[in-house]
Amino acid sequence: MSRIVYVNGEFLPEEKAKVSVFDRGFLFADGVYEVTSVLGGKLIDFGGHAKRLARSLGELEMNSPVTEDELLEIHRELVKRNNLEDGLIYLQVTRGAADRDFAYPEGVKPTLVLFTQSKPGLANSPVAEVGLKVISIPDIRWGRRDIKTVQLLYPSMGKMMAKAEGKDDAWMVEDGVVTEGTSNNAYIVKDGKIITRHLGNEILHGITRAAVLRFASEAQMHVEERSFSIEEAKAADEAFITSASAFVMPVVEIDNVPLGDGKPGSVSRRLREIYLEESRKVAL
Ligand code: PMP
């Protein structure tokens, strides 16, 4: 079934949607993106994603092609035109199309593309019941991971390394400590304390992370934002990841070492419930 996608001001059937071969997103990965979940036809944490998009664009001296209000309208229109109940909206802004040159071109219009991905039952994933098995890999990405760019080749390779070992995902390690998952933020739980890497240029400032830490504090759970090693993680009581598409997802094994009893932990399960419940309440 063909989707209706959005490209530079137009809603088109996906076969009709086109981007130039000179687009800098294609030639230089000169673009940023966001992924917003849709549950029950409503957008989860749209405001957070719009704010981070503005920040990513600012860091790369790119202009936003539309206002936040226009962006919300485009998201809603895509949900409507595609009858999207549960799934994702992917958004990408690139610097635009120009003759190939490393220097940023002047006066070029940014490219804006959005499309939907239907994922029926997204919030009821059976994976949440069994949890993820992860491996650790060195973090060899560039130093501005706080900018949500479309340079995703290493995370893609990381997922393939995990798959080759029969596992689900990889946690990346730099200078002896965990930065984040290939496409998610990483957490461990020890003696009831939730520990996750502090913010900086080394990790993406997850929108789900911000919400989950807020909900955890509101529920009187103890949160520590600091680095932790893979050894500390393997000795943890439980672990989990967060992302806009996975919400809160338990991790039950790291580098072949089962955590706790090898089943999703109670803190992870509770946070997943709270996150889904609270986010649905304020979905747009
Ligand atoms: N870290 C990385 C590297 C990611 O790719 C993602 C998801 N895109 C996240 C963290 C989680 O961010 P969010 O909760 O905003 O989806």
Side-chain angles (χ1 to χ4, degrees):
M1 218 188 59
S2 169
R3 276 168 291 193
I4 299 294
V5 304
Y6 174 95
V7 183
N8 295 326
E10 289 186 287
F11 291 93
L12 299 164
E14 60 183 71
E15 318 75 48
K16 297 260 164 66
K18 295 214 166 28
V19 174
S20 166
V21 295
F22 298 107
D23 195 278
R24 289 179 60 94
F26 179 55
L27 299 177
F28 291 100
D30 189 358
V32 299
Y33 76 108
E34 284 295 332
V35 176
T36 303
S37 270
V38 174
L39 291 179
K42 292 196 164 171
L43 303 162
I44 301 297
D45 217 337
F46 172 80
H49 290 285
K51 225 162 106 203
R52 184 174 60 191
L53 174 67
R55 181 177 179 277
S56 292
L57 290 170
E59 291 299 303
L60 295 174
E61 297 167 46
M62 263 191 236
N63 293 319
S64 177
V66 289
T67 65
E68 185 174 327
D69 286 347
E70 288 167 335
L71 208 52
L72 177 57
E73 269 323 295
I74 297 168
H75 277 74
R76 284 183 161 156
E77 192 63 27
L78 280 176
V79 168
K80 203 160 99 190
R81 292 193 188 214
N82 292 287
N83 293 318
L84 187 63
E85 190 60 22
D86 290 343
L88 313 170
I89 297 190
Y90 176 87
L91 166 162
Q92 180 168 333
V93 183
T94 76
R95 199 179 303 276
D99 217 24
R100 188 175 180 279
D101 186 355
F102 281 81
Y104 298 166
E106 276 174 33
V108 169
K109 257 189 68 193
T111 302
L112 176 61
V113 169
L114 289 93
F115 58 79
T116 55
Q117 284 188 313
S118 176
K119 299 203 181 273
L122 180 64
N124 306 317
S125 168
V127 182
E129 301 303 317
V130 287
L132 302 173
K133 295 178 176 172
V134 304
I135 59 166
S136 62
I137 60 172
D139 195 341
I140 59 165
R141 297 173 301 162
W142 78 326
R144 288 303 307 276
R145 302 158 194 158
D146 56 309
I147 310 174
K148 196 165 168 63
T149 73
V150 296
Q151 323 174 61
L152 296 172
L153 191 51
Y154 188 65
S156 191
M157 288 169 77
K159 297 249 191 218
M160 294 310 290
M161 290 183 236
K163 202 170 160 184
E165 293 189 28
K167 309 299 179 190
D168 303 299
D169 205 352
W171 280 13
M172 295 181 280
V173 177
E174 182 178 56
D175 300 329
V177 288
V178 174
T179 49
E180 57 189 333
T182 57
S183 62
N184 43 67
N185 290 114
Y187 307 72
I188 57 172
V189 181
K190 184 73 179 175
D191 300 327
K193 243 184 291 175
I194 299 160
I195 302 157
T196 193
R197 169 90 184 203
H198 53 281
L199 296 179
N201 292 345
E202 302 81 9
I203 63 167
L204 185 73
H205 302 189
I207 300 308
T208 321
R209 177 189 183 280
V212 164
L213 294 189
R214 197 173 64 243
F215 297 143
S217 297
E218 283 168 12
Q220 317 295 329
M221 293 165 147
H222 191 110
V223 175
E224 261 181 40
E225 291 181 71
R226 62 159 174 89
S227 302
F228 59 87
S229 66
I230 276 288
E231 286 66 40
E232 186 178 0
K234 284 186 206 161
D237 301 325
E238 55 180 290
F240 62 94
I241 54 126
T242 64
S243 77
S245 53
F247 312 118
V248 176
M249 191 60 77
V251 167
V252 295
E253 185 194 288
I254 302 172
D255 285 340
N256 291 312
V257 176
L259 304 180
D261 61 1
K263 298 201 181 99
S266 58
V267 173
S268 318
R269 288 210 310 265
R270 178 149 174 244
L271 278 176
R272 181 178 173 87
E273 262 170 43
I274 297 176
Y275 176 79
L276 284 169
E277 192 182 321
E278 295 300 319
S279 306
R280 279 182 199 270
K281 276 190 208 160
V282 292
L284 288 174

